[in-house]
Amino acid sequence: MKVLVIGSGAREHALCRSLSLDPDVTALHCAPGNAGIAEVAELHQVDALDGKAVSALATRLEAELVVVGPEAPLVAGVADALREAGFPVFGPSGEAARIEGSKAFAKEVMAAAGVPTARSYVCTTADEVAHALDAFGAPYVVKDDGLAAGKGVVVTQDADAATEHAAACERVVIEEFLDGPEVSLFAITDGRTVVPLQPAQDFKRALDGDEGPNTGGMGAYSPLPWADPKLVDEVLQTVLQPTVDEMRRRGTPFSGLLYAGLAITSRGMRVIEFNARFGDPETQVVLARLRTPLAGLLLAAANGTLDDLPPLRWSDDAAVTVVVASHNYPGTPRTGDPISGLDRVAAEDAPHAYVLHAGTRRDGDAVVSAGGRVLSVTATGEDLTQARERAYAAVGRIGLDGAQHRTDIAAKAAGE
């Protein structure tokens, strides 16, 4: 199978890494990719938001499966253009991707499907914002209705900060604060059958102890030793399947990756948000544990044949990923700094630890930073303690001027 992956982050590197290990994949391409992906796939330049350009590339490469990684091309309808050109595509249509592209639309779908979620108001005026903030009280949860690369949410005790964030957005969803730990659960679906993956937990705040500003995610781990063993079945029956059924009922079937961000509250499980693609950095740890070859699974979702697949196989190992971010992230990051130590990790830590590239590019013989989140250092081990040790040992070999990372990823879950 010839596979084309669209995107350039650590999520796409994780997907490409797993696809490169799949014996059924005979050729692997990625557009536009990054310096790390270049080691496992052939890179091509393309405007990932231009459906015609992506379709033309897929035609030239004779792709037999196209995997659209990030949310922006999905919301822009790139999967539709590819399907119209006759390609099997892993990723929802532009209409179905609205479940991530509009928080208000997602709330509407959840209400129709009877999915448990936070109470909320959709606001477009200052008066509506003031009323909603007053109705729920602190801590205030204010979400930009549209795509914001994981940084459109403000959770704060400060009413002025909440009002300011709302004023900067065209339309916002203001909702009640959900207490309790958060869980990310991905599911592969062909629009009817829903196959959940293993749950993960990510760390949104920039600093140790969940301090500092929200980010796109600073690390993740899987499995969750503290979670109820019945959690996945419960989420499948009360959240994922009803949502997929509702999307099909509306005439906008959702096929691809449905990501449920969940809060395990004192009043039961609630959906915080849906995403229409693999989450970053949770993908890095979930795919590290998946033993079922990836290409056939994604192709079955694209072709509507998920029901025919045997149950997924998983490693008993734990996985931890630690994000190495550039100076000043999540503000305007400094880029162009050389990265050292990648060869040392490959020589000394493989196969238990490896580096997935996020914001990197080649500059002559050097690999340099090219974004806010630069690397995802991922490791597996017999348990979370061993996976953590291996991940942080590998992080310690990497040199990047001004870099920052959290030191407490999975520490609490590992009992440390």
Side-chain angles (χ1 to χ4, degrees):
M1 194 191 312
K2 296 174 186 167
V3 184
L4 169 61
V5 176
I6 303 300
S8 62
R11 161 188 44 228
E12 287 74 37
H13 193 176
L15 287 164
C16 285
R17 179 182 181 274
S18 289
L19 289 165
S20 74
L21 298 172
D22 186 333
D24 287 340
V25 175
T26 51
L28 182 58
H29 302 273
C30 186
N34 62 39
I37 295 173
E39 294 173 16
V40 293
E42 190 180 331
L43 300 193
H44 305 271
Q45 277 309 310
V46 77
D47 177 353
L49 299 176
D50 183 339
K52 279 188 178 159
V54 173
S55 296
L57 175 63
T59 301
R60 185 161 62 78
L61 298 174
E62 300 177 340
E64 291 159 297
L65 171 66
V66 183
V67 179
V68 183
E71 60 273 24
L74 291 168
V75 171
V78 167
D80 303 85
L82 286 159
R83 282 194 184 96
E84 280 163 27
F87 292 99
V89 183
F90 184 79
S93 66
E95 272 293 306
R98 284 181 67 211
I99 204 158
E100 176 169 5
S102 167
K103 304 281 189 298
F105 174 73
K107 287 287 188 186
E108 199 184 294
V109 170
M110 284 188 258
V115 168
T117 186
R119 294 176 299 131
S120 62
Y121 292 98
V122 179
C123 308
T124 52
T125 68
D127 283 349
E128 287 172 351
V129 167
H131 171 73
L133 294 176
D134 191 46
F136 289 133
Y140 305 103
V141 181
V142 185
K143 299 180 175 182
D144 190 333
D145 180 54
L147 292 181
K151 298 192 281 283
V153 181
V154 163
V155 181
T156 179
Q157 297 282 348
D158 183 340
D160 291 342
T163 305
E164 191 182 327
H165 182 63
C169 307
E170 214 169 291
R171 183 158 88 145
V172 293
V173 175
I174 294 174
E175 56 184 46
E176 66 176 327
F177 177 75
L178 297 175
D179 62 345
E182 294 184 15
V183 174
S184 301
L185 187 63
F186 303 161
I188 308 267
T189 177
D190 56 12
R192 284 183 185 277
T193 302
V194 181
V195 178
L197 304 185
Q198 289 286 309
Q201 185 174 55
D202 76 332
F203 294 76
K204 284 276 185 261
R205 299 281 184 171
L207 307 175
D208 283 7
D210 292 327
E211 299 288 331
N214 253 348
T215 70
M218 295 298 290
Y221 69 94
S222 176
L224 312 181
W226 50 267
D228 186 327
K230 298 194 289 290
L231 176 68
V232 173
D233 283 343
E234 184 193 346
V235 177
L236 175 61
Q237 280 163 37
T238 61
V239 174
L240 298 167
Q241 192 70 57
T243 300
V244 168
D245 292 345
E246 172 61 22
M247 292 296 282
R248 191 174 70 252
R249 190 190 66 74
R250 287 168 174 254
T252 54
F254 187 104
S255 91
L257 193 291
L258 182 62
Y259 163 139
L262 310 163
I264 313 300
T265 78
S266 51
R267 301 195 314 282
M269 181 261 301
R270 299 282 186 274
V271 175
I272 301 167
E273 64 175 356
F274 282 125
N275 289 335
R277 39 73 198 180
F278 278 103
D280 183 343
E282 301 99 317
T283 302
Q284 289 85 304
V285 291
V286 173
L287 292 186
R289 300 185 57 229
L290 180 65
R291 287 288 164 266
T292 299
L294 186 60
L297 176 60
L298 302 187
L299 185 65
N303 287 339
T305 56
L306 268 183
D307 209 22
D308 300 338
L309 288 191
L312 298 184
R313 299 194 321 275
W314 294 93
S315 163
D316 291 332
D317 282 357
V320 171
T321 195
V322 179
V323 171
V324 177
S326 55
H327 179 71
N328 200 41
Y329 179 77
T332 305
R334 194 173 79 203
T335 60
D337 287 315
I339 301 164
S340 64
L342 298 174
D343 293 345
R344 277 191 68 199
V345 175
E348 297 176 37
D349 300 288
H352 301 299
Y354 47 88
V355 179
L356 297 168
H357 292 232
T360 68
R361 63 179 172 82
R362 280 227 165 256
D363 184 4
D365 288 338
V367 175
V368 301
S369 61
R373 292 188 294 175
V374 181
L375 304 168
S376 281
V377 180
T378 305
T380 55
E382 286 181 12
D383 54 23
L384 286 174
T385 299
Q386 189 179 48
R388 258 176 61 76
E389 284 168 1
R390 287 171 169 172
Y392 280 108
V395 168
R397 300 190 215 286
I398 291 166
L400 172 62
D401 190 43
Q404 51 172 322
H405 66 269
R406 283 185 56 160
T407 65
D408 63 348
I409 303 300
K412 195 170 160 191
E416 293 174 25

